[in-house]
Amino acid sequence: MALRVTFVAAARSSPLLAERFDDDRPLDRAGWDEVLRVTGALLPLAAAELRYCSPTPRSRATGDAIGVSPLVQLALRECDMGRWRGLTLGEAMAREPAAVDAWLADPRTAPHGGESLSAFITRVGGWLDTRPGEDGDRIVAVAEPSVVRAALVHALNAPPSTYWNLDVRPLSTAVVTGRAGRWNLRFESAAA
């Protein structure tokens, strides 16, 4: 059974340098402006048979704005950052530099008391691998850029450290096709 899963990275809720771990803030003005500019291009995604989103306010708002009306999936939530929740990377680094270095270096560690990067990738990958659907079905998932990165690492069966090499920008899309255990990353022309 081959599925087509299009991941849409949620519009932003803050400037890049002000992004916070486990950020539950709604879209900011710039995020709304961006999503309104691309709505027409993303509108065809509303025809997908299955439409999902992460539980964050910005993912839900992005999905609604592009006409997807997604169903919230807890498995698509961001990585549990434990006591770093609500902090920027810079703030966490200022408080616990050795812990941040350990977290960045070893995907199996969770010095913040939350979820390790490896566990996060496994959780998101498990969600991807258990999507229902018939051959040829289209699925849309609107999620935080971090969730899209985790899904791509899983789909490519790449080492967890690859997560740090993927740059997923707000409102970008990524398409994977296939089924559990056999996913392909698909690049499409703008006309597609």
Side-chain angles (χ1 to χ4, degrees):
M1 167 176 28
L3 300 175
R4 174 191 169 94
V5 183
T6 302
F7 289 95
V8 179
R12 65 189 185 142
S13 60
S14 62
L16 183 61
L17 293 177
E19 285 186 4
R20 298 184 175 279
F21 294 124
D22 290 336
D23 191 358
D24 280 341
R25 291 181 291 176
L27 295 179
D28 65 6
R29 182 75 250 157
W32 275 113
D33 291 345
E34 290 169 356
V35 79
L36 292 175
R37 274 195 300 275
V38 301
T39 297
L42 297 178
L43 200 54
L45 295 176
E49 286 80 10
L50 299 168
R51 299 173 300 275
Y52 303 108
C53 73
S54 73
T56 63
R58 75 182 196 161
S59 291
R60 291 191 313 264
T62 300
D64 288 341
I66 64 173
V68 173
S69 300
L71 176 65
V72 171
Q73 298 286 284
L74 291 178
L76 292 179
R77 68 190 181 283
E78 289 189 277
C79 187
D80 176 359
M81 297 304 291
R83 69 179 170 275
W84 294 349
R85 185 177 201 279
L87 300 179
T88 65
L89 178 59
E91 290 168 345
M93 183 64 103
R95 292 179 187 187
E96 302 180 53
V100 171
D101 286 344
W103 175 67
L104 292 171
D106 184 352
R108 297 166 300 184
T109 66
H112 44 64
E115 186 175 29
S116 71
L117 181 61
S118 291
F120 172 52
I121 293 167
T122 298
R123 171 172 47 86
V124 173
W127 176 88
L128 178 62
D129 284 346
T130 57
R131 288 310 83 213
E134 302 295 322
D135 192 27
D137 275 358
R138 293 165 298 160
I139 298 171
V140 166
V142 180
E144 302 302 312
S146 63
V147 174
V148 176
R149 288 163 63 187
L152 294 176
V153 170
H154 174 79
L156 295 172
N157 199 26
S161 61
T162 305
Y163 177 89
W164 303 116
N165 301 105
L166 299 174
D167 185 14
V168 177
R169 309 305 298 162
L171 296 170
S172 61
T173 61
V175 178
V176 295
T177 60
R179 64 188 180 300
R182 178 81 169 93
W183 294 103
N184 298 295
L185 180 59
R186 183 175 179 155
F187 295 93
E188 298 178 342
S189 69

